[in-house]
Amino acid sequence: MTAPVYIHGIGMTKFGSFEDKTLKDLLIEASKEAIKDAGVSKIDAVFVGNFMGGSLANQEILGAIVANDLGLGYIPTAKLEGACASGGIALRQGVLSIMSGEYETVLIVGAEKMKHASTSTVTQVINTAMDQSTNEKEAGLTFPGYFGTVANRYFYETGASKEHLAKVALKNRENAMNNPYAQFQKPTTIDEILNARMVTDPLGLFDCSPITDGGAAVVLSSKPSNIKVRASAQASGPTLMQDADDLLSLPAVRVSGEKAYEKAGLGPEDIDVVEIHDCFSMTEILSSEELGFFPKLQGWQGVNEGKTRVDGEIPINTSGGLLSKGHPIGATGIAQIYQLVRQLRGNAPNQLTKQPKIALAQNLGGTGAYSVVHILERV
Amino acid sequence: MIVYECCGIESVTKKVYCSSCGKEITNEYDVPEVGTVYSFTVIQVPPTQFAHLAPYTVALVQLNNTKAKLTARIVDQVNIGDEVKLEKIVDGAYVFKKSEVLHNS
């Protein structure tokens, strides 16, 4: 028998550039807010999501630091790493630890401190999310370059163009404009997006998620609350572009989605609101197909028809997504939960007119190497 | 170059077990370093290690006579479907060139 898992508290820092805050500051700020929101006094374990604390912020032992500085006592803690899925994986370990009966109440917190480093340094460190011991790395493929290569092939096989990617970026920017926690709240236009500096053809600046400082936290418990974790699922995928059976697929997203639907006894048609890991505009389209919201190679048409907007059939990234809310890597998977819980509670930025009941979060790590899916229900 | 095969799955990356049948992968064979551009990107924002090359083109090359694909740097401007062949191997990177450029040179 497994214990049920409920969400009791959520917290996050503003996402952006915080010169004066350390990685620890971001972890503690988000944790304090989640614990306060949960109204709990005892935490049994801590799971931290973080990717580049060692290489960029020169800090490890994050689990013990969180327990120590919050004064939680001598409780077990751990840091989980799965590149950009670090937060989602930490959340899943928290879920599993409650399901197993080992703990009653756990804190999951993710954070990243990135803005102090140069773009080339961050690009180099993000590249550790690809297999570094192969000819592919030596060819000079970058993390954004992978999705640029995907996008050119996607254009070739469908009627999609750079304009459809721009529509994803514009939608997410418009959503972020209403989210006070988002990194980018300035309005933009399709023309500005299309004419922006190229990062990796055909992806321009607005097609790529930014470098961000930030933290997010969740308190889970087996004690009932009005938000239940209906399913937690995870899968792996190829760690190299040259290993992909089909360049236009993300098998980890597909499999983690299928497993989550199976566990929840639900299908894509039952989902009211979604946060998808839009590290790139192309990725949001591809993953919306893999999760069953659109048929394969037709996700771009859904975007074109406005179906993924806040007022559309399947609202995707009402928070502004990684593209405009920001992408402090270890916090990202947990910040998705933050937005969805607020949607389910009925007080989110870009709150859906009809208060949603079922929400889905999908967090990607590497170029499809990890994917984690959580399904939440308002009960 | 060497391609590894089991159960019809072919890859330039050597894996221990076949993801289909679960047995150790033992089949390998040589294919020529010639193929077509399956897709590509032009990298304008490079990591520190490749800063001196930017902008540069990286392509996923569909190798001839196999299902395996290879990630390579390309010295020319290319489009999907262009025929390319190996020019040289530099620091572990396969560097390809357009086939017709080689013919003309």
Side-chain angles (χ1 to χ4, degrees):
Chain A
M1 202 184 100
T2 58
V5 183
Y6 296 90
I7 296 180
H8 282 249
I10 52 170
M12 71 180 277
T13 70
K14 183 171 164 44
F15 282 6
S17 178
F18 302 109
E19 222 172 280
D20 300 336
K21 291 183 184 176
T22 63
L23 178 57
K24 181 169 83 174
D25 293 337
L26 296 166
L27 288 165
I28 298 298
E29 186 181 328
S31 297
K32 271 172 68 181
E33 194 185 319
I35 290 170
K36 190 176 164 199
D37 184 47
V40 298
S41 53
K42 186 172 163 290
I43 299 285
D44 301 320
V46 176
F47 296 91
V48 176
N50 176 260
F51 176 41
M52 31 177 81
S55 47
L56 272 195
N58 203 28
Q59 183 64 67
E60 295 284 7
I61 64 157
L62 301 177
I65 285 177
V66 169
N68 184 68
D69 281 51
L70 286 172
L72 300 178
Y74 302 140
I75 60 171
T77 69
K79 181 193 89 168
L80 285 300
E81 185 280 316
C84 306
S86 299
I89 292 173
L91 177 70
R92 179 169 154 76
Q93 292 309 305
V95 169
L96 296 177
S97 76
I98 291 177
M99 285 174 71
S100 76
E102 179 76 4
Y103 309 125
E104 185 178 72
T105 303
V106 301
L107 168 70
I108 296 100
V109 56
E112 213 73 56
K113 176 77 183 159
M114 305 168 72
K115 285 296 284 185
H116 59 289
S118 71
T119 301
S120 66
T121 301
V122 173
T123 305
Q124 184 87 34
V125 175
I126 287 178
N127 268 15
T128 65
M130 302 192 296
D131 188 337
Q132 294 291 283
S133 60
T134 68
N135 64 288
E136 184 164 298
K137 177 257 185 175
E138 301 304 343
L141 183 68
T142 60
F143 199 79
Y146 178 100
F147 286 102
T149 309
V150 169
N152 273 328
R153 186 72 197 186
Y154 192 89
F155 293 174
Y156 182 79
E157 292 200 17
T158 67
S161 69
K162 204 167 149 42
E163 197 179 328
H164 300 99
L165 300 186
K167 285 187 176 178
V168 173
L170 182 65
K171 163 184 72 75
N172 291 354
R173 174 59 60 92
E174 286 171 350
N175 291 348
M177 283 164 61
N178 298 320
N179 183 353
Y181 289 108
Q183 184 170 5
F184 298 128
Q185 292 183 270
K186 258 178 47 188
T188 184
T189 62
I190 283 279
D191 283 346
E192 188 184 14
I193 295 170
L194 287 172
N195 295 322
R197 182 162 63 83
M198 197 62 89
V199 172
T200 181
D201 175 71
L203 305 181
L205 196 60
F206 288 78
D207 292 304
C208 304
S209 52
I211 295 168
T212 311
D213 299 335
V218 169
V219 173
L220 301 177
S221 177
S222 54
K223 286 190 234 170
S225 80
N226 62 347
I227 310 277
K228 187 175 188 184
V229 179
R230 275 285 292 261
S232 171
Q234 189 184 342
S236 299
T239 53
L240 291 167
M241 181 166 78
Q242 64 193 13
D243 274 357
D245 284 343
D246 171 6
L247 184 65
L248 302 185
S249 77
L250 289 165
V253 178
R254 185 177 66 246
V255 173
S256 59
E258 285 168 356
K259 285 186 172 175
Y261 290 138
E262 191 188 326
K263 285 168 198 267
L266 298 168
E269 65 283 358
D270 298 310
I271 308 298
D272 300 320
V273 61
V274 187
E275 291 284 309
I276 279 180
H277 191 98
D278 57 328
C279 45
F280 301 93
S281 50
M282 185 66 245
T283 321
E284 179 176 308
I285 292 176
L286 218 52
S287 292
S288 72
E289 297 171 4
E290 296 289 23
L291 292 168
F293 299 122
F294 299 104
K296 203 157 164 54
L297 303 182
Q298 290 178 32
W300 64 281
Q301 289 169 326
V303 173
N304 205 32
E305 291 159 12
K307 289 182 179 169
T308 58
R309 293 168 58 91
V310 172
D311 57 2
E313 280 169 32
I314 183 72
I316 295 177
N317 289 330
T318 62
S319 66
L322 282 58
L323 287 173
S324 273
K325 181 181 58 184
H327 184 25
I329 296 179
T332 287
I334 301 166
Q336 292 179 325
I337 302 297
Y338 179 94
Q339 173 70 9
L340 293 178
V341 167
R342 290 192 58 181
Q343 281 285 359
L344 296 174
R345 286 178 177 175
N347 66 358
N350 302 301
Q351 179 65 46
L352 304 194
T353 318
K354 183 170 179 277
Q355 192 180 344
K357 189 168 166 59
I358 307 280
L360 182 146
Q362 181 272 323
N363 186 199
L364 190 71
T367 49
Y370 297 90
S371 176
V372 188
V373 170
H374 285 93
I375 298 177
L376 312 181
E377 181 184 13
R378 177 166 53 84
V379 290
Chain B
M1 71 181 307
I2 305 289
V3 165
Y4 304 90
E5 187 273 338
C6 196
C7 296
I9 302 167
E10 297 172 308
S11 171
V12 296
T13 314
K14 184 167 186 164
K15 299 182 175 65
V16 180
Y17 303 111
C18 171
S19 60
S20 178
C21 72
K23 296 199 180 110
E24 270 192 51
I25 297 175
T26 51
N27 297 341
E28 55 178 71
Y29 47 86
D30 240 327
V31 298
E33 290 95 350
V34 180
T36 53
V37 173
Y38 186 78
S39 194
F40 68 98
T41 188
V42 181
I43 293 174
Q44 309 276 352
V45 180
T48 322
Q49 185 188 348
F50 299 104
H52 61 289
L53 294 174
Y56 58 91
T57 299
V58 174
L60 186 60
V61 176
Q62 174 62 65
L63 296 169
N64 291 353
N65 310 328
T66 171
K67 289 180 202 158
K69 298 188 184 78
L70 173 75
T71 301
R73 195 153 67 232
I74 313 269
V75 292
D76 303 299
Q77 281 194 341
V78 286
N79 278 305
I80 292 174
D82 283 352
E83 290 182 15
V84 289
K85 65 190 291 183
L86 182 71
E87 186 192 45
K88 58 190 172 184
I89 298 174
V90 184
D91 298 331
Y94 291 86
V95 179
F96 276 54
K97 218 175 158 62
K98 266 193 196 176
S99 293
E100 67 256 27
V101 174
L102 283 184
H103 295 154
N104 295 340
S105 63

